[in-house]
Amino acid sequence: MPFDSLRPKVTTILANTAETAEQRLTEVCELLQTAVGYYDWVGFYFANEAERTLHLKAFAGEPTDHTVIPFGKGICGQVAESNANFVVADVTAQTNYIACSLYVKAEIVIPLFKNGKNIGQIDIDSHSANPFSSEDERFLEWVNEQVAEIL
């Protein structure tokens, strides 16, 4: 796992105050998508509480039509309501799944908390079956903690 080597790179990207928060988030997405072989799409969605929707703010990978997701819909929408990590080993086994690509086999979504409130999430799609482990969860939780500090 390259996670230990990625931590200082994530920290450096997020510390670059010459860039906007959105630019830094895009760079984090690009880093993770290129550095972790089974991270085929990486994105950050942020909640609009009034509309009960998630909005894509930064990503790396193939463009997606799913730039706005209602709370409760798909894996991301479920995490917006549950406030809990959601690891999907096989997306075809999920009845409430939004297909972003025919190639996606697995997904992991980790909520992003700021001051104890779920304000968004990091979403990762993989073209590999069942690639995510507890190490991915812990690393992505750490990424979200770092991201929360710049928001």
Side-chain angles (χ1 to χ4, degrees):
M1 261 331 114
F3 298 138
D4 286 340
S5 65
L6 288 175
R7 289 175 196 269
K9 293 175 183 175
V10 169
T11 301
T12 299
I13 290 168
L14 295 175
N16 182 5
T17 56
E19 293 183 335
T20 66
E22 195 166 318
Q23 288 171 317
R24 289 180 269 171
L25 291 178
T26 298
E27 285 185 38
V28 168
C29 292
E30 291 167 348
L31 171 68
L32 299 182
Q33 194 250 344
T34 56
V36 183
Y38 53 92
Y39 285 14
D40 295 294
W41 190 92
V42 179
F44 283 98
Y45 285 91
F46 288 92
N48 178 322
E49 291 291 332
E51 295 178 9
R52 293 190 41 80
T53 52
L54 295 164
H55 297 261
L56 183 63
K57 293 294 181 203
F59 74 95
E62 291 292 317
T64 179
D65 292 335
H66 304 288
T67 58
V68 178
I69 299 173
F71 282 17
K73 182 109 170 97
I75 307 307
C76 290
Q78 291 176 74
V79 170
E81 292 185 328
S82 72
N83 299 322
N85 296 354
F86 200 151
V87 181
V88 181
D90 175 7
V91 295
T92 63
Q94 289 296 313
T95 56
N96 188 4
Y97 172 69
I98 301 172
C100 292
S101 160
L102 295 173
Y103 303 108
V104 176
K105 292 187 169 57
E107 183 173 11
I108 185 171
V109 180
I110 308 293
L112 195 161
F113 296 95
K114 176 85 176 175
N115 300 324
K117 182 170 177 48
N118 182 352
I119 62 164
Q121 54 202 226
I122 189 168
D123 175 24
I124 299 175
D125 292 341
S126 180
H127 298 170
S128 303
N130 195 20
F132 304 115
S133 70
S134 61
E135 287 182 75
D136 292 276
E137 285 189 77
R138 299 299 81 79
F139 173 69
L140 296 170
E141 289 167 350
W142 177 85
V143 168
N144 280 355
E145 289 168 9
Q146 306 313 300
V147 166
E149 291 180 15
I150 70 159
L151 300 176

